[in-house]
């Protein structure tokens, strides 16, 4: 019976741990004066959020670690997933810490972040080689696959760095990333379970529970922000799970919200530099809808619904392929 319900048990356990940690950890962040600095170029309505405790992603990571150690096996798959999750989370933690110390919304430089992300990708690739990982890519919804061989490394680098930054970009409104993240990881828990990748499924479920527990404190009006500590860690975890389930290309569908958010930034920059005009009132896309008059809560819920559509499509394509 426990084996049949292990995903639900894992989600509930991680959720409860996060909910219990939150009331202890948030006042601790306040005492340390770990408040969020708000970008001056962002929406003016966000300036009132200045000083809200950040680095709340630590709550998610603690819930994840405790739950995974309890319910998952000590496998190479779990080791890999913890490496990319905690590794990128550490980069985010350093970025958050420097922002707080400098009392400005600038932490690590872009070059420093990128260097750290590349080093982690190299470490992840070495571990995959040791695991004898399949270097082919499976085309979603088809039985076809493309063997990359040595070219799998640059693809892996793009996947890890791209996903972590795309997820980070999405973390701009109360509950936005927590909700869309829970949906995406929930989809991967199902996919991993159907693919008999049980440790990966449990890991995914643990993230779902931890993120939902964090959402209790992060929903509008947020009492704590996850910071780069949480957003980069979630991005690393999402990419890592896609790698373990051999659904690297499917990630673009399941994480469709993150892709759209990133494209909105890229298109905005290209348009402004080439034509001197902006496509959106502000990027990422969630800020555009805010500036058109939508309430923050309306934007967040709409993005959650879009995330559910992408996640459902991804699960459908993969489960059909597996069957």
């Amino acid at each position: 019976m426990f084996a049949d319900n292990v995903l639900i048990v894992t989600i509930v356990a991680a959720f409860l741990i996060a909910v219990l940690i939150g009331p202890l950890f948030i006042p601790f962040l306040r005492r340390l004066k770990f408040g969020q600095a708000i970008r001056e170029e962002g929406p003016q309505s966000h300036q009132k959020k200045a000083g809200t405790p950040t680095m709340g992603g630590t709550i998610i990571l603690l819930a994840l670690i405790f739950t995974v150690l309890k319910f998952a096996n000590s496998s190479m798959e779990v080791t890999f997933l913890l490496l990319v999750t905690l590794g990128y989370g550490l980069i985010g933690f350093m970025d958050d810490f420097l922002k707080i110390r400098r009392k400005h919304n600038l932490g690590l430089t872009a070059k420093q972040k990128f260097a750290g992300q590349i080093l982690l990708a190299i470490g992840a690739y070495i571990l995959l080689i040791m695991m004898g990982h399949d270097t082919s890519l499976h085309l979603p919804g088809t039985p076809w696959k493309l063997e990359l061989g040595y070219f799998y490394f640059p693809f892996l680098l793009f996947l890890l760095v791209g996903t972590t930054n795309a997820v980070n970009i999405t973390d701009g409104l109360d509950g936005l990333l927590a909700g869309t993240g829970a949906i995406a990881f929930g989809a991967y828990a199902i996919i991993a379970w159907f693919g008999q990748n049980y440790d990966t499924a449990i890991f995914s479920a643990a993230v779902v529970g931890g993120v939902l527990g964090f959402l209790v404190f992060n929903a509008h009006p947020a009492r704590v922000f996850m910071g780069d500590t949480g957003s980069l860690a979630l991005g690393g975890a999402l990419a890592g799970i896609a790698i373990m389930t051999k659904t690297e290309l499917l990630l673009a569908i399941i994480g469709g919200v993150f892709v759209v958010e990133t494209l909105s930034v890229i298109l905005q920059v290209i348009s402004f530099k080439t034509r001197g005009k902006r496509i959106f009132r502000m990027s990422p896309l969630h800020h555009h809808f805010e500036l058109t008059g939508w309430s923050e809560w309306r934007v967040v819920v709409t993005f959650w619904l879009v995330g559910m559509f992408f996640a459902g499509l991804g699960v459908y394509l993969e489960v059909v392929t597996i069957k």
Side-chain angles (χ1 to χ4, degrees):
M1 179 63 70
F2 175 77
D4 294 337
N5 298 314
V6 65
L7 294 187
I8 296 176
V9 173
T10 301
I11 291 173
V12 172
F15 174 83
L16 291 176
I17 292 173
V19 169
L20 291 173
I21 290 176
L24 301 175
F25 193 69
I26 295 173
F28 175 69
L29 292 174
R30 288 190 181 279
R31 285 196 297 271
L32 293 178
K33 297 182 179 180
F34 280 11
Q36 176 71 50
I38 304 299
R39 291 187 308 129
E40 295 180 0
E41 61 271 23
Q44 288 302 306
S45 61
H46 287 206
Q47 294 304 314
K48 61 185 179 182
K49 299 182 181 184
T52 301
T54 188
M55 297 172 71
T58 307
I59 297 172
I60 301 172
L61 295 179
L62 290 174
L64 169 66
I65 293 170
F66 290 144
T67 311
V68 168
L69 292 178
K70 173 64 178 177
F71 296 112
N73 296 311
S74 299
S75 62
M76 290 293 288
E77 289 78 7
V78 170
T79 300
F80 174 82
L81 292 172
L82 287 175
L83 169 67
V84 293
T85 302
L86 299 181
Y88 284 105
L90 179 59
I91 294 175
F93 178 87
M94 294 170 62
D95 188 45
D96 286 335
F97 182 78
L98 288 175
K99 289 177 183 176
I100 294 166
R101 184 177 181 181
R102 297 170 180 172
K103 300 184 184 302
H104 197 280
N105 199 47
L106 292 175
L108 294 173
T109 65
K111 289 182 179 180
Q112 289 171 333
K113 277 187 180 180
F114 192 57
Q117 291 171 336
I118 291 177
L119 287 174
L120 264 175
I122 293 173
Y125 181 66
I126 293 173
L127 184 55
L128 289 174
I129 292 175
M130 294 171 59
M131 295 167 60
H133 188 69
D134 180 6
T135 57
S136 64
L137 296 181
H138 296 256
L139 302 180
T142 75
W144 304 330
K145 64 180 183 178
L146 175 66
E147 177 58 54
L148 293 185
Y150 291 113
F151 291 102
Y152 188 76
F153 171 70
F155 174 79
L156 179 75
L157 179 63
F158 171 79
L159 183 69
L160 285 168
V161 175
T163 303
T164 51
N165 286 288
V167 171
N168 179 250
I169 286 172
T170 307
D171 185 27
L173 299 178
D174 297 353
L176 177 57
L177 177 53
T180 52
I183 293 166
F185 283 105
Y188 266 116
I190 296 171
I191 288 172
W193 191 262
F194 268 90
Q196 299 182 353
N197 297 314
Y198 298 123
D199 284 336
T200 301
I202 291 172
F203 187 95
S204 303
V207 179
V208 173
V211 171
L212 290 178
F214 174 78
L215 184 57
V216 171
F217 311 103
N218 183 240
H220 185 72
R223 285 176 278 171
V224 64
F225 298 142
M226 69 171 65
D228 284 3
T229 302
S231 60
L232 292 183
L234 291 181
L238 195 60
I241 292 169
I243 293 166
M244 286 295 96
T245 55
K246 293 308 302 173
T247 56
E248 297 97 333
L249 296 180
L250 190 69
L251 177 56
I253 296 175
I254 293 178
V257 169
F258 311 131
V259 174
V260 172
E261 288 272 74
T262 303
L263 287 177
S264 72
V265 174
I266 294 173
L267 292 174
Q268 184 87 321
V269 171
I270 293 175
S271 178
F272 187 75
K273 287 190 174 181
T274 57
R275 304 187 304 147
K277 296 181 180 180
R278 293 181 173 86
I279 300 174
F280 309 104
R281 295 191 178 187
M282 185 177 289
S283 64
L285 189 60
H286 55 260
H287 288 324
H288 169 79
F289 288 109
E290 269 194 294
L291 295 182
T292 61
W294 285 25
S295 68
E296 184 168 346
W297 185 241
R298 181 184 177 185
V299 176
V300 169
V301 172
T302 300
F303 275 56
W304 286 357
L305 293 174
V306 174
M308 288 180 185
F309 169 77
F310 282 125
L313 178 60
V315 170
Y316 172 77
L317 289 174
E318 183 62 17
V319 169
V320 168
T321 301
I322 292 173
K323 288 183 176 180

